[in-house]
Amino acid sequence: MSNRRKFLVQLSVITAAITLPKFARSSVQADDEFVIAEAVEGKLRGIRKDGVCLFKGVPYAGRLSGDRRFKRPAKLEPWQGVRDALEFGPPAIQGDTFNPSSREDCLFLNIWTPANDGKKRPVMVYNHGGGFANGSGAAPGQDGTNLAKLFDVVVVETNHRLGLMAFLYLEDIAGPEYAGSGNNGLLDIVDGLKWVKKNIAAFGGDPGNVMIFGESGGGAKTSCLYAMPAAAPYFNKASIESGPGLRMLPKEAAMEMTKLVFQELNIDLKDWKKILDVPVKDLIDVQNKVPRLMANSDYIRKHGVVGFVPNNFAPVVDGVALPHDPFDPFAPEISKDKPLMTGWNEDEWAFFAMYSRDVGPLKSDFTFEALQAKFEPEFGADTKKIIETYRRTRPNASASDIWMAVKSINMMGLGTIAIAERKAEQHGAPVYLYNFGYKSEAKIPDTDYPFGTPHAMDITFKFNNEVPGAKPGFLSGSKPERFVASHHMAELWTTFARTGKPAAKDVPEWPAYNLNDRPTMRIDTTCEVINDRFKEELAMWRSIGRISYHPLNSR
């Protein structure tokens, strides 16, 4: 198995390390100021703190447990009186990082707003990372307070089903009641978007101006939502960040995974209802075995690796909820008129290397001969061409630098560029391509090599949580310059949410991506537009079939 596959199998666990909240104690203080908002289902009591109203653990759909397992949720029933929205709701059932506070009944969202005053502010709905198996809409790094307070927007984050609980494909064996079961996790997010459409005006938001965005697995979720008919009426623009979801699971692969689950549980397919009574912990144990079982299956031997997180539970291209792969071979026609941002971090692999403990290539004694040996299992006969190209375009780069650059663009960059190209070729709403490039000086553990711009570091930056007085992030380092880069990123994102065109003070105009100039905004303390960035490297990647472009006239 290649290093890329090894990491991706662990992707949800890795991202969850920084995306899961702590639920150990109440965050309500004796002197807190309470505020009331009235949703369609009833009144909610939240907290006003630091100039922002926060409503936590707001239910947006009904029960999932018991006979609702693997179905669409029960209807959300109205409540009498005032319901407290003071504590985060339980996260979804998690994968390898099984969380004792997790619950099947997890459909809650959190709202940060400057005021529930009837003003129509842009609404930013964030899809959390953690692959498709872990994470939460309540992680500290993605706290929406600063975006709401400093940029006058409303931020919403949902919990939704994950892993096997979210994507077990049952409709071929369980019938129409389980239609869409392979996409329940995405359809949960759609239910959250429906709730926003119906209720967000009561929280100072504009239901007619909603942006969806997400990082890593959240970027892949956003890629899918961008292609889903059920989601289309409920958002106006999107941003896919370090998580290009070009392709999802074919139905046949999803059905193979379903068969493996039932085999592990010793349940015959004709007795499928027995799975409704299986304890959650047993389901998670099986979920964690599936990638290995799939990797050794006849299906994978015949068809090759499938899925955003290889051979693992993910959205299913079922022809209905998700009619086709999100961005392969074309951008979705259903969102042709919706502006899009997409991009990746320059040193994505630094994060992956740390958590997979694959830091040998970052040591000072790592040679180009060792680089060749390191790449050959993954790139085979193309290894020499890849190294030669990067040594030519980066003559002062060390073997470690080239390892980082190649692994980073191959992991997240090539798919992101494909999305930008396929969106641009539609000649519809614009797409804006970025590279996040602020360099952290913090060292990758057990090395003297700095993180640079690793995967997931952008979360605290785009939420403007890198500010004076904030505790320095583990990834982002402690240089004060990070405050400037964070403000740039947050302002670009919130302006895009407001207008559909990213812009910020002291940042050059960001032109839409096109197939001639191919402009990319590099985001840092000083931002710059770079045309046709990585031109020679991308020509090489195309020549070996790692990135493909399908012009409209090839249909």
Side-chain angles (χ1 to χ4, degrees), residues 36-45 57-62 74-84 107 109 111 191-203:
I36 304 294
E38 189 160 1
V40 170
E41 295 82 10
K43 293 181 179 179
L44 291 159
R45 183 170 71 143
V58 177
Y60 66 85
K75 180 182 177 182
L76 178 61
E77 298 295 336
W79 54 86
Q80 299 297 315
V82 180
R83 178 183 180 125
D84 279 347
L107 302 187
L109 56 78
I111 304 167
D191 283 344
L193 291 170
K194 290 179 181 177
W195 190 96
V196 166
K197 184 79 169 181
K198 183 170 57 174
N199 285 302
I200 206 66
F203 297 84

Side-chain angles (χ1 to χ4, degrees), residues 375-450:
F375 275 167
E376 280 178 347
E378 183 170 1
F379 298 114
D382 296 318
T383 297
K384 184 179 179 181
K385 186 173 186 179
I386 292 169
I387 293 174
E388 287 177 349
T389 300
Y390 275 77
R391 293 195 74 174
R392 185 167 59 252
T393 60
R394 304 169 189 228
N396 297 320
S398 67
S400 298
D401 295 336
I402 290 178
W403 185 70
M404 182 65 67
V406 168
K407 297 292 286 185
S408 296
I409 197 169
N410 188 58
M411 170 63 69
M412 295 296 181
L414 301 183
T416 298
I417 290 167
I419 285 177
E421 290 179 341
R422 293 166 191 183
K423 177 65 178 173
E425 72 175 3
Q426 285 185 318
H427 302 292
V431 56
Y432 299 92
L433 181 65
Y434 73 87
N435 292 145
F436 181 43
Y438 172 81
K439 300 301 180 189
S440 168
E441 83 289 2
K443 299 295 194 295
I444 298 171
D446 300 321
T447 79
D448 290 322
Y449 200 92

